[in-house]
Amino acid sequence: MTAKLKLLLICCICFIAVQGCTYRAWYSGLQERERQECYRYSDSSAIQECLDEVNRRTYDQYEEERKEEISESSD
C-alpha cells in the first residue's frame, strides 16, 4: 500500500470518527473500500471471488465474532 493511500485511509477513518458515525457505518465504509480494491483485478472471475469474500460477512456477523474474541481473550 502506498504512503498516500495509507494517509488517505487514516484521514477517512479520523473523519468518520470525528463525525460520530456508528461502528456499522464505519464497517460499511471499509467494506466499500475493499469492494473498490476488487476491481483492480483484470480477470472477471478473480473480481467476483474478491467481491464474494468482501460480501461474505455482514456487520452483525462481524460484531458477533468480535464480541466472542473479546470474551475469549478476557477469560
Side-chain angles (χ1 to χ4, degrees):
M1 200 185 287
T2 66
K4 287 183 182 180
L5 186 56
K6 286 181 184 178
L7 180 60
L8 178 61
L9 181 60
I10 290 170
C11 289
C12 288
I13 290 171
C14 290
F15 179 77
I16 291 170
V18 169
Q19 294 299 314
C21 290
T22 64
Y23 286 116
R24 186 178 300 269
W26 176 79
Y27 183 79
S28 294
L30 288 178
Q31 264 192 321
E32 183 58 34
R33 183 186 165 282
E34 289 180 15
R35 283 186 200 101
Q36 294 302 318
E37 289 293 318
C38 290
Y39 290 104
R40 291 182 170 223
Y41 293 107
S42 58
D43 180 17
S44 62
S45 63
I47 292 171
Q48 189 58 52
E49 284 179 31
C50 180
L51 290 171
D52 291 344
E53 181 63 27
V54 170
N55 296 326
R56 175 184 64 84
R57 186 168 43 169
T58 65
Y59 175 78
D60 294 328
Q61 291 168 325
Y62 160 77
E63 184 65 19
E64 185 177 315
E65 290 173 15
R66 187 180 74 81
K67 286 179 181 177
E68 286 175 9
E69 287 182 24
I70 291 171
S71 175
E72 289 173 3
S73 66
S74 64
D75 288 341

